[in-house]
Structure formats: C-alpha cells, structure tokens
Amino acid sequence: MSLSHGRPYLAIPGPSVMPEEVLRAMHRSAPNIYEGQIVDMTATIVADLRRVARTKGDVAIYISNGHGLWEASLANVLAPGDAVLVPVTGRFGHGWAAQAGRMGAEVRLVDFGKQQAIDPARVAEALKADTEHRIKAVLAVHVDTSTGIRNDVAALRRALDETGHPALLMMDAIASLGCDRIEMDAWGVDVLLAASQKGLMTPPGIGFLWVSEKAQAVRDGIEVTSPYWDWAPRLHPEGYYQHFCGTAPTHHLYGLRAALDMILTEGLENVWNRHEVLARAIWAAAQRWGADGPLTVNAPEGVRSHAVTALRLGGDMADRLRTWTDTCGGVTLGIGLGMAEPGDVDFGGFFRIGHMGHVNAHMVLGALSVIEAGMTACEIPHGDGAVAEAARICAGA
C-alpha cells in the first residue's frame, strides 16, 4: 500500500511549485504578437522585474534556461583571451566557469569547496595580483543550488572597490531571486542573472539579465557579439520583436505577469521574511534529527540559503529516503546534485529540500513529517521532536 495518492508535492529546488494563478493565466489562446495586450503587458513586466531585483537598470528577457543566461552574460562583455575570476562554492559556480572557458576566456578559479562561503579577502588577493587588469569580470553565484551556500555579494563589491579593480561584478541569482534578499543597485552588481522557474514561480523557459550602465558600456566596446545573445536590442528595442530576437514567449509572459502580481501584492519584504521563517523551520528540524543520527545540514550557520537546503545522511540512506518519500509519501525531494561523483561512497548520501517561491507552512511542515516518517520506515537513526520544533518556529512568526 502507498500513501502517495493525492496531490503530490515537488520539493526539489526548481522547477518550483507553480501557483494556480500562474497556470490559469497561461491557459489561454495565442495572442497577437505585433500589437495590443501582449505588448502593453510586457512593458509592465519589465518595470516590475526592476522592482523585484531592486534596480533602476535595464533588463533583457531571453527564451532560455540558466545555462543560456550564463552564455548571454559572457557573450556581451568578453573577448577571446579575456580573463574572468570565479570564486566557487558548488557545482553551479564550476558550471559558469566551464562555460567561460569554452567561450575562450582565461578562467581564474578560486575554489572554496562545498561547505564554506566565498571569502572576500581571498578574492581581493586575486584582484590585487592582477596588476594588468586582465580580469574583466568576477562571476559569483549568490546561492549555489547544489550546496545551499549563500554568498555575500556586497562584500565582493567592496573587495573590487577597495582594490581599485575595474572588473564587472556579475551575479547568478537564479536560485535566490524572490527568495533571499537581493539588492542589485545597493550591492553594486553590474550584471544580474535570474530565471523563471524558481522564486518567480513560472515554468522553465525564460530568463533575465539586469544590466548596469557600466556593463552596457563594456558591451559597446565588444567588436563581435552573438546575434541571439546580444543584449543591446533587447534592452532598447525599436520594435516589440527585438525584446526576444523573434517571437515572444507569450504564455510564459502571461504566467510571469501573474507571478509578479502575487509577489508584489504580498510585498517583497514579506516574501523574503516568509522564506526566512520556513528555512529556519527546516534547519531546526534537521538539527533535531541530527542530534541522534547522521543527518547534517551541508551549509554552515550564517551562510545558508532561504531557498534550498542540502543535507547529508551518508552511504545510500538519502537515496533510500527519497525513494520512500516519493513512492509512499507523495513528496519528491531533490537529489544530491554535485555533492559527490558516481562511484563515491556517499553518492547516494545527500538530498535537498527546495523551499522557494509558492511555499507555505503547511507545505513545509507536511514535507518534514513525510521525511520523518520515511526515516522511520527506512530505519535511519534520527532524533525526536523535529516536526514539533519546526511548528514552534512557524507559530512564532
């Protein structure tokens, strides 16, 4: 017998749960893509994307996932042979760095491992050593979805300013926009990347680059840029089609409009606070489970994401737990992406909980209850009182 029949809960760190309002907005006939409602609506989306990123900068919209955004960000600011500095705290930092390398950049990697945040002092040392200013950009992932580490991007801006280095500061906020606090202008970010499928609660398929005037000036000096990834016509389109280098992603835009309405009606500060409380509830439960068992939170206190939590059980326990919660409890947990390689002893030892976007107390408390039931069913040692402690945190919000 399985108890999974009923509405399933996808608790992976993206694609996140899509609200009914978003799905209803998308369930419609195709619009005219040359004039009228879709054109007028896109103008409101651009304005509200600025509000969500806390910036006055221009925003380019791409029909793309996050990997496409990495390429778009690099294609507009780098010439072959330029150097990039990439401080890494997980799989996705390595991915962005690898893409830069394949596009002809010299990659200077500073790897902080999988259990600590970026140290701005080490970044400053690398910047000081670059006396010829060959480094054109610092590529920083705000929240690495694989490790659950949240990095201090404002501190990276201070490192750039204090060393007098002219490099652009580029920030991957794909996992964090709409979940963790982001202040693009206040933090001095030149290029910010985000996609639709996580905190923005819209199906995968569209992505965004917010671009400072400094970054636009760098683009103006690049001799050759990919026609599709070029952000110049997208930022300042002469015709509607130039927003998207062709046909607009019409139904994604309808869904995104509904998602932005939900975020702004709740209030961005309230959205951030909700994510913080629900994240603390998960961490508190993990602490109770780990008091009498092997479970640990990967990210240290103080640098944990409010959008995703990576946890370690060791051996094959996480795989067995994920199988039980999915097939018997109706909750799908995230795999331990990038935490170990196939063949390693702990390849099946990690799992992740996504708590991003359209998520509330009953979803989180329900998922935690199913996880605890799964640990009991799989005979995984764990401490008591985890769900009660999580409920106490939610009650005190």
Side-chain angles (χ1 to χ4, degrees):
M1 184 189 72
S2 170
L3 300 177
S4 65
H5 299 285
R7 175 170 291 188
Y9 177 31
L10 187 67
I12 67 174
S16 64
V17 174
M18 286 174 283
E20 294 298 324
E21 292 90 334
V22 170
L23 297 174
R24 285 195 295 268
M26 298 178 71
H27 191 72
R28 60 190 300 156
S29 300
N32 182 356
I33 59 169
Y34 300 104
E35 59 185 2
Q37 183 194 44
I38 193 76
V39 176
D40 296 339
M41 186 184 71
T42 300
T44 71
I45 287 173
V46 169
D48 287 340
L49 285 170
R50 291 193 183 105
R51 295 173 66 185
V52 171
R54 295 291 185 102
T55 181
K56 296 179 181 178
D58 294 318
V59 58
I61 304 176
Y62 292 88
I63 303 173
S64 171
N65 59 17
H67 288 68
L69 294 174
W70 285 343
E71 185 165 336
S73 68
L74 298 167
N76 282 278
V77 301
L78 296 182
D82 286 345
V84 293
L85 180 65
V86 191
V88 174
T89 59
R91 177 190 178 104
F92 290 89
H94 283 289
W96 201 2
Q99 198 160 58
R102 291 189 63 182
M103 294 175 68
E106 175 196 335
V107 177
R108 302 183 185 183
L109 204 68
V110 185
D111 194 345
F112 293 91
K114 298 174 182 178
Q115 288 189 298
Q116 63 174 321
I118 294 170
D119 179 358
R122 285 181 58 189
V123 172
E125 290 174 3
L127 293 170
K128 289 177 184 176
D130 181 37
T131 56
E132 297 180 355
H133 291 169
R134 293 194 60 244
I135 295 172
K136 302 305 180 183
V138 176
L139 314 182
V141 176
H142 184 219
V143 166
D144 199 293
T145 325
S146 63
T147 61
I149 299 282
R150 174 170 46 86
N151 291 299
D152 187 346
V153 176
L156 294 179
R157 167 48 62 192
R158 290 193 294 272
L160 281 159
D161 292 346
E162 290 169 4
T163 57
H165 201 289
L168 297 172
L169 177 57
M170 303 173 69
M171 171 180 164
D172 176 334
I174 292 171
S176 53
L177 186 77
C179 307
D180 283 282
R181 176 177 290 275
I182 287 176
E183 303 273 4
M184 179 177 173
D185 287 356
W187 293 355
V189 176
D190 292 302
V191 180
L192 186 143
L193 297 67
S196 56
Q197 72 270 22
K198 297 182 187 281
L200 294 181
M201 306 179 290
T202 305
I206 50 176
F208 319 96
L209 294 183
W210 292 259
V211 184
S212 71
E213 290 183 0
K214 177 181 176 181
Q216 291 185 53
V218 171
R219 158 65 190 89
D220 291 342
I222 299 294
E223 294 183 2
V224 178
T225 303
S226 156
Y228 186 79
W229 297 124
D230 188 359
W231 68 38
R234 295 172 187 263
L235 295 175
H236 307 289
E238 295 179 1
Y240 183 69
Y241 74 96
Q242 287 186 315
H243 270 297
F244 312 102
C245 197
T247 304
T250 54
H251 290 65
H252 276 79
L253 294 173
Y254 284 122
L256 178 62
R257 179 64 272 167
L260 290 169
D261 287 342
M262 293 178 69
I263 290 170
L264 297 173
T265 297
E266 182 179 357
L268 195 52
E269 293 280 352
N270 292 329
V271 170
W272 292 336
N273 291 337
R274 170 168 54 86
H275 279 84
E276 179 186 359
V277 171
L278 296 175
R280 287 195 290 109
I282 291 170
W283 305 336
Q287 184 175 356
R288 287 296 185 98
W289 287 328
D292 193 19
L295 186 140
T296 57
V297 177
N298 181 69
E301 292 185 26
V303 295
R304 292 175 179 170
S305 162
H306 295 158
V308 54
T309 298
L311 302 113
R312 180 186 183 278
L313 278 171
D316 67 346
M317 287 187 284
D319 274 354
R320 291 193 290 114
L321 174 64
R322 287 191 308 101
T323 298
W324 191 95
T325 61
D326 187 25
T327 60
C328 298
V331 174
T332 303
L333 300 171
I335 63 172
L337 186 66
M339 297 305 290
E341 299 300 325
D344 287 356
V345 173
D346 281 340
F347 180 62
F350 294 86
F351 69 99
R352 294 174 299 158
I353 304 172
H355 34 98
M356 51 177 59
H358 190 55
V359 62
N360 59 25
H362 93 77
M363 297 162 78
V364 166
L365 293 173
L368 294 174
S369 296
V370 170
I371 291 170
E372 185 162 300
M375 288 194 287
T376 300
C378 295
E379 299 182 341
I380 297 170
H382 60 279
D384 295 328
V387 177
E389 183 62 17
R392 184 189 66 77
I393 290 175
C394 291

